Amino acid sequence: MIEEIWNLAISPGVLPLSILLIPMALFWVTCLIGSFDFDFIGFDGGEGGFDSGDGGDLVGGSMRWLFRFFHGDEVPVAALLSFLLVYLWGGAMLGHYFFPPGNDGVEAAKLDAWALLPALVLTKLTALALRPMFISLRGLEGEAKPVLGRAGRVRSRVCDASAGQVEVEDPESPLLINARLAPGAEPLSRGTRVMVESRDPDRDVYLVKVHPENS
């Protein structure tokens, strides 16, 4: 049985995914050794640190929506990618087991493509199930260093009423928080100095306003 699984894992259609599991496993081992530092990947900008880039509002809005759909504002990106890879690998293994493509590369690619949809669904469900845990972990860090009333700068490309990220100034190390502006407020660009005004517990975000020195 083990030999059969091994042969399936190193078959041409599954081997690329099997190889990707190795650096993923090493990454998680490194995180565990580092005392569960769950702030490992925070892309600069946008919702939850995701940089939507400068490709226009349509592209930026679509990426932010997709990021929020998979709870990327609360679940680290590295975790989401790991879930997706594991489920994609598992789906490909099952597909190649029940529908062996032989040496047909096209059929093998089709089986891998079909495995993507259930992998995305399972990734969404896993992120939803683990979301409270990651919120709790990040919340404990936030309690240790209150940010209300403190100054910071916008780290995302823009910060508005629907998305944004702010780096709060701290003598020890900067604190990265998900931030929003009040509805109707003018969007702020990266680097703008702001003040943390309040916290929205329902969305687990902080409301900020332009710092008086910018007025």
Side-chain angles (χ1 to χ4, degrees):
M1 183 63 179
I2 295 178
E3 182 179 356
E4 187 177 7
I5 294 175
W6 170 258
N7 291 334
L8 190 60
I10 62 174
S11 61
V14 184
L15 182 59
L17 295 175
S18 299
I19 292 176
L20 288 176
L21 290 176
I22 298 174
M24 184 203 75
L26 293 175
F27 175 83
W28 280 101
V29 169
T30 303
C31 290
L32 290 172
I33 294 175
S35 299
F36 297 94
D37 181 6
F38 288 107
D39 288 329
F40 29 76
I41 286 191
F43 291 110
D44 183 18
E47 181 82 9
F50 189 88
D51 188 359
S52 58
D54 297 317
D57 293 337
L58 178 60
V59 175
S62 299
M63 292 304 294
R64 284 196 295 270
W65 177 88
L66 182 63
F67 196 62
R68 287 195 297 268
F69 179 77
F70 285 100
H71 304 287
D73 50 345
E74 291 129 352
V75 180
V77 179
L80 292 176
L81 293 177
S82 298
F83 301 152
L84 180 61
L85 177 58
V86 169
Y87 291 134
L88 185 58
W89 179 83
M93 289 280 286
L94 291 174
H96 283 256
Y97 178 79
F98 289 106
F99 307 100
N103 295 323
D104 191 335
V106 175
E107 288 300 317
K110 287 181 179 179
L111 288 174
D112 293 343
W114 276 109
L116 180 60
L117 181 58
L120 288 171
V121 173
L122 290 172
T123 298
K124 163 72 174 180
L125 295 176
T126 303
L128 181 62
L130 297 181
R131 176 174 170 267
M133 181 189 74
F134 285 109
I135 290 177
S136 176
L137 288 170
R138 289 181 170 178
L140 290 175
E141 294 176 358
E143 290 174 5
K145 292 188 176 181
V147 297
L148 296 184
R150 299 173 65 176
R153 293 188 181 277
V154 176
R155 274 284 306 273
S156 50
R157 184 171 60 89
V158 294
C159 180
D160 53 28
S162 61
Q165 193 174 59
V166 165
E167 184 179 274
V168 178
E169 299 167 358
D170 186 82
E172 296 180 3
S173 62
L175 306 174
L176 215 54
I177 61 173
N178 290 323
R180 304 289 184 274
L181 297 180
E186 191 72 20
L188 303 177
S189 59
R190 177 181 288 148
T192 303
R193 192 167 166 80
V194 297
M195 181 77 74
V196 182
E197 192 172 22
S198 61
R199 181 175 179 272
D200 184 343
D202 295 330
R203 296 187 295 169
D204 193 32
V205 299
Y206 290 89
L207 300 179
V208 299
K209 62 179 180 180
V210 177
H211 196 280
E213 74 175 25
N214 290 337
S215 302

